[in-house]
Amino acid sequence: MKTIWKTLAALSVAAAVLAPVSGASADDKKINIGWTAWSDAEAVTKLAKKVLEDRMGYKVELTMADIGVQYQGVATGKLDGMLMSWQPATHKSYIDKVGKDLVDLGPMYTQAKLGWVIPDSIPASELKTIEDLKKPEVKAKLKGRIQGIDPGSGLMQLSEKAMKAYDLDGYQLVSASDAAMLAGLTQAVKRDDWIVVTSWSPHWMFSKWKLRYLEDPKGALGGEEHINKLVRKGFEKDHPEAHAFLTRMVLPIGDVESIMAEAQDSSYEAAVDNYIKKNPDRIESWVTGKK
């Protein structure tokens, strides 16, 4: 827990930019949604923004912030909502801390997963499970590094626990952005080098390269997750139509992956537009509740 709140303290500048929005009148159609620069978060958040603005007349501001700042922002009413709450394990520490001050609208999608990922070109006979990282020859090829993402993420918190659970002495868990992790993976794949990265499903990286998760026999990185939508208290009263829309906004994990993959060749905005055009009935059910 100390690690979490040290991270939040370090991100006080980001928290300061979140202007209070609670108490907005019902006819004020401005909404502020928090998001993180993760591929899946960008896909679903920009999809929600597009539908809320084009079909429902809202003005949606997206505030990029560390995941911990988002939880704090929604809990204090400085953000209207966030669409990337990994449950039950990944974000458990945040839910335990501020869950009583949040309103959970249920899953956006299910069957999500966290783990440590390697190029499939690495022989399974040499590296198949997290336990195999203890082999001296494996550690040498990896230069004692595990490439992570942003330090405030639940994935990194679980990865720190996994380091202890498997006694990975001499390894360094490197904090970085999602983009930096992907840059390292891209370079390793091109050079046919060995690398271990912290990652998750859904992610477009699995459609671009042949990758596999390291087996986690101790379950240190958790099991199947669902990604929920959270809003501040009072949001339903202030924005009943948006509240109903977000409650109904549920999509298959395969659709999230398809948006993410398409965005790599165009943009998230273009991929979202295309998804809306291809799925009019689903969008209609989100907006109106009619099936």
Side-chain angles (χ1 to χ4, degrees):
M1 291 300 295
K2 290 182 179 179
T3 299
I4 297 170
W5 298 111
K6 283 181 180 178
T7 300
L8 291 180
L11 291 162
S12 58
V13 174
V17 304
L18 305 179
V21 295
S22 58
S25 62
D27 60 352
D28 181 355
K29 304 196 79 172
K30 294 181 180 179
I31 296 175
N32 191 329
I33 297 176
W35 71 295
T36 305
W38 301 337
S39 300
D40 48 346
E42 186 164 8
V44 298
T45 303
K46 289 187 174 179
L47 175 58
K49 171 182 167 70
K50 182 70 174 177
V51 178
L52 282 165
E53 290 188 335
D54 289 2
R55 290 290 307 273
M56 306 181 72
Y58 286 90
K59 175 61 178 177
V60 181
E61 179 183 354
L62 301 184
T63 298
M64 184 182 291
D66 175 86
I67 196 70
V69 173
Q70 289 180 56
Y71 274 97
Q72 189 180 51
V74 178
T76 59
K78 294 178 181 179
L79 282 173
D80 282 305
M82 57 181 287
L83 308 181
M84 194 57 47
S85 175
W86 280 68
Q87 301 181 29
T90 307
H91 290 171
K92 183 178 185 299
S93 57
Y94 296 117
I95 297 294
D96 288 347
K97 187 70 176 181
V98 299
K100 66 183 185 301
D101 299 316
L102 307 170
V103 179
D104 194 324
L105 302 185
M108 172 79 75
Y109 58 91
T110 60
Q111 298 179 310
K113 179 180 179 179
L114 298 176
W116 291 359
V117 173
I118 63 174
D120 197 47
S121 59
I122 298 176
S125 59
E126 297 181 59
L127 181 54
K128 183 178 181 181
T129 77
I130 296 178
E131 287 279 9
D132 290 334
L133 293 172
K134 295 180 181 179
K135 298 176 181 177
E137 64 274 19
V138 169
K139 182 179 176 182
K141 289 181 179 179
L142 292 169
K143 299 181 176 61
R145 289 169 55 92
I146 296 169
Q147 179 62 60
I149 56 170
D150 46 297
S153 67
L155 173 54
M156 286 295 279
Q157 293 167 29
L158 289 175
S159 293
E160 288 173 358
K161 292 179 180 179
M163 297 281 285
K164 295 177 182 178
Y166 287 95
D167 297 319
L168 297 179
D169 295 333
Y171 272 93
Q172 180 186 9
L173 178 62
V174 182
S175 298
S177 64
D178 180 25
M181 177 273 287
L182 288 166
L185 179 61
T186 299
Q187 186 178 59
V189 170
K190 286 182 178 179
R191 296 179 176 180
D192 201 24
D193 289 339
W194 284 38
I195 191 171
V196 176
V197 301
T198 65
S199 192
W200 63 94
S201 299
H203 199 296
W204 60 263
M205 61 195 287
F206 292 98
S207 64
K208 184 176 180 62
W209 301 297
K210 291 184 178 180
L211 308 168
R212 70 175 186 271
Y213 282 100
L214 289 178
E215 294 178 7
D216 176 17
K218 295 184 178 182
L221 295 167
E224 186 174 299
E225 299 272 285
H226 48 87
I227 282 62
N228 287 27
K229 304 150 289 187
L230 306 178
V231 296
R232 62 173 172 84
K233 289 185 175 181
F235 182 76
E236 181 176 14
K237 179 182 177 181
D238 293 339
H239 303 292
E241 293 179 347
H243 181 277
F245 162 75
L246 290 174
T247 301
R248 292 189 291 257
M249 187 180 175
V250 180
L251 64 166
I253 191 171
D255 287 18
V256 181
E257 291 175 329
S258 68
I259 294 171
M260 293 160 65
E262 184 177 337
Q264 302 314 303
D265 297 323
S266 54
S267 68
Y268 280 93
E269 288 76 11
V272 161
D273 285 346
N274 195 33
Y275 183 81
I276 291 171
K277 290 176 183 177
K278 290 182 176 179
N279 296 273
D281 292 342
R282 175 168 289 140
I283 303 304
E284 184 69 18
S285 71
W286 292 348
V287 173
T288 66
K290 297 178 181 179
K291 297 182 179 181

